[in-house]
Amino acid sequence: MDADWSSRQCKLTEPAVLETAIRFSAYLQYMAVGVDLYDDAWTEFRTLIASEVEERLENEAEELETYSGLSGYGDEFAIAVMGWGGIYFVEACEFERHGYYLRLEDARADAMHIAECYSGIDEGDTVSPVPGQRIRAWYTDDLLASHGHLDQPTGELEVHADTEIIAQISSGHQVSLELPRLAKIGGEWVQVVWRFNMRGPGSASIWLYSRDGSEPEVLEVTSMQIGDEPARKAPPIYED
């Protein structure tokens, strides 16, 4: 996919973008009082304001719309249109944010473009079914699990697996989806490895790998749903 998703993208240091942000923030208005943002003599100041705006976008932007794409592993991932103070951008798993928008329609168009490019449908295909079946899992962290709080899940994730893998999991075999999948946990995209039947049929864990190479965090699956089957509680991995 071409990295230049849209000619309507703006750089954060562009005067029009900074003007939009300044109008939204009393603090930025105070910083920019008496400054002509279009004057090249204020280039360094525009960079300073842009860094402040970037921090605001990271911490205060809200998710306005969400679309979905399908990764090469068959996993669904979120494509979010984010907005703060009249500035919009698209956030989608590992894609690098390289542009901002002054119109919601432009950000929406690019989000839909990403969704189309990662729809799982090849050119010439009329229909491309979702690979395998969906596994929906509710999880808790190992600290809660070690205290027996298996009825208090802290989140849920989904993964797709092919028919053969699903059959192995359902039969009680130990299965590890070694290729990391991307998942959004706690507002951050991380790599996860799913491991099933660690302590018998229906038991599973999710291993989170951070980008800094530190030891993975282990989440215990408290219940699972495979395909359209009813959700079932999972035997505990961690015991008192």
Side-chain angles (χ1 to χ4, degrees), residues 4 18 21 27 33 36 50 87 105 110 115 166 174 183 194 213:
D4 294 326
L18 297 181
Y27 176 68
V33 65
D36 181 2
I87 300 174
E105 307 91 275
D110 275 354
I166 292 290
Q174 290 191 13
W194 294 66

Side-chain angles (χ1 to χ4, degrees), residues 134-157:
R134 179 193 69 174
I135 300 176
R136 186 180 182 188
W138 290 262
Y139 63 81
T140 186
D141 60 57
D142 57 354
L143 179 61
L144 287 176
S146 65
H147 288 84
H149 300 308
L150 297 177
D151 57 344
Q152 300 176 18
T154 56
E156 62 182 84
L157 288 177

Side-chain angles (χ1 to χ4, degrees), residues 223-239:
S223 55
M224 280 194 299
Q225 181 183 22
I226 298 178
D228 296 326
E229 296 178 0
R232 299 182 180 181
K233 286 184 177 281
I237 296 174
Y238 301 94
E239 298 180 355

Side-chain angles (χ1 to χ4, degrees), residues 40-227:
D40 288 340
W42 293 97
T43 299
E44 292 185 5
F45 182 80
R46 287 199 299 266
T47 301
L48 174 64
I49 292 288
S51 65
E52 176 70 22
V53 173
E54 183 175 25
E55 184 175 343
R56 297 292 186 92
L57 292 172
E58 291 292 336
N59 298 326
E60 301 175 13
E62 296 182 352
E63 187 173 308
L64 304 177
E65 299 176 1
T66 305
Y67 302 85
S68 61
L70 200 64
S71 75
Y73 299 126
D75 298 326
E76 190 175 22
F77 64 89
I79 304 166
V81 177
M82 310 291 292
W84 178 87
I87 300 174
Y88 307 96
F89 59 92
V90 178
E91 192 171 76
C93 58
E94 79 273 23
F95 296 113
E96 180 181 355
R97 186 193 316 159
H98 58 275
Y100 299 90
Y101 313 88
L102 296 180
R103 300 198 317 159
L104 175 60
E105 307 91 275
D106 294 340
R108 179 187 295 127
D110 275 354
M112 295 177 68
H113 177 65
I114 299 173
E116 181 181 356
C117 290
Y118 289 86
S119 65
I121 299 177
D122 296 327
E123 293 184 8
D125 289 347
T126 55
V127 177
S128 181
V130 174
Q133 293 185 18
R134 179 193 69 174
I135 300 176
R136 186 180 182 188
W138 290 262
Y139 63 81
T140 186
D141 60 57
D142 57 354
L143 179 61
L144 287 176
S146 65
H147 288 84
H149 300 308
L150 297 177
D151 57 344
Q152 300 176 18
T154 56
E156 62 182 84
L157 288 177
E158 293 184 3
V159 68
H160 287 83
D162 61 34
T163 304
E164 182 180 350
I165 294 296
I166 292 290
Q168 293 180 28
I169 293 171
S170 300
S171 299
H173 295 290
Q174 290 191 13
V175 176
S176 179
L177 304 183
E178 289 296 349
L179 287 177
R181 270 68 171 171
L182 286 167
K184 194 171 189 179
I185 297 179
E188 179 182 359
W189 287 99
V190 295
Q191 291 186 324
V192 303
V193 171
W194 294 66
R195 298 183 180 182
F196 297 92
N197 303 329
M198 305 293 288
R199 293 293 185 275
S203 186
S205 61
I206 302 171
W207 295 54
L208 278 57
Y209 290 84
S210 62
R211 294 179 180 178
D212 60 11
S214 57
E215 288 296 318
E217 178 184 357
V218 180
L219 305 176
E220 179 173 353
V221 170
T222 62
S223 55
M224 280 194 299
Q225 181 183 22
I226 298 178

